[in-house]
Amino acid sequence: MTSNIVVVGSLNMDFVVMVNHLPAPGETVLGRDFQMIPGGKGANQACAAGKLGSGAVATRMLGRVGYDVFADHLKASLAAAGVDVSAVHATRSQPTGVALIWVDKDGQNSIVVASGANHALTASEIQGHRASFRGAGLALFQLETPLDAVAAALALAREEGARTMLDPAPAQPLPRDLLERVDILTPNESEACILLSRRVSRVTPAEAPALAAELLRLGPKAVILKLGEQGCYYCDGQAAIHSPAFQVAVRDTTAAGDTFNAGLAVAIAEGKNIGEALRFANAAAAISVTRLGAQASIPSRAEVEAFLNRPR
């Protein structure tokens, strides 16, 4: 079974610097190993879907860039992964988005995003992209583009029969009418807490069922809590699955969540059951955290299959 995937979201050029520790307010730290790597949560998910789908699942990206050299690099990176970039349009009102990323010795990161052209994706333009959703099985969304554009695209995807998946990042409270258009909501621990207007805290697998049940009451049809090294927890009000993480040496967690979402989408598009899809997504994310950068860290389909089939 194959199905088209449409990703609506951001495209950024990431400027990544390795540091011994993340700087405190007012602190200057010396960095090393600077790299300029294609990123943006939307583009990361599209790139990962292209790589992990390996030609069997067609992926299209819908977003905005500026008229600059970064735009050329970002589109070329997606095209190299097999992604259709015909719906990635340039705007003269803003430069291409950028992200400034610091990564510490434990693989944790701190990110500042200047959205630029990503904010030029407007709700009024979305209706003109109806053809991009036609025939799609899944549509993936994040929150690095204007919220009214995300809401409009969610509605359009639903009208065209696509199953919708929302990664609610960067974290923010969301209106119920938007969440009711979401088939699969995929927050991490902090995003889940912010959606529920509670203090951010770590969530154990034992606490995940209650938290997922609260999130379901906000409107989505299913919830997947991403719990980092503890794996993920799926709940749709009937089925509930805890899928453990694979233990690996973490170098950089940038784009791990995006790789997970794309892996999940590809597996679902191929007809895998939810347990198999979660395991495939966990494996893809596990490989990504062993590497530096966003799109540069995303594994190929062959790498994920070899990882899943390795001797234990």
Side-chain angles (χ1 to χ4, degrees), residues 93-151:
S93 64
Q94 295 279 350
T96 299
V98 298
L100 310 177
I101 304 174
W102 295 263
V103 182
D104 72 13
K105 58 184 174 56
D106 298 317
Q108 297 304 308
N109 59 43
S110 181
I111 304 174
V112 176
V113 176
S115 296
N118 294 307
H119 276 177
L121 182 64
T122 64
S124 60
E125 295 176 78
I126 292 297
Q127 285 295 328
H129 288 282
R130 181 176 292 273
S132 293
F133 295 96
R134 196 158 293 141
L138 294 108
L140 277 57
F141 303 86
Q142 325 77 38
L143 301 177
E144 287 185 339
T145 50
L147 196 59
D148 59 348
V150 174

Side-chain angles (χ1 to χ4, degrees), residues 60-117:
R60 176 182 294 115
M61 177 79 206
L62 195 163
R64 290 289 180 273
V65 291
Y67 280 95
D68 49 49
V69 68
F70 297 148
D72 297 335
H73 282 296
L74 289 168
K75 291 174 73 173
S77 177
L78 290 175
V83 178
D84 177 354
V85 294
S86 60
V88 177
H89 295 160
T91 175
R92 296 191 183 280
S93 64
Q94 295 279 350
T96 299
V98 298
L100 310 177
I101 304 174
W102 295 263
V103 182
D104 72 13
K105 58 184 174 56
D106 298 317
Q108 297 304 308
N109 59 43
S110 181
I111 304 174
V112 176
V113 176
S115 296

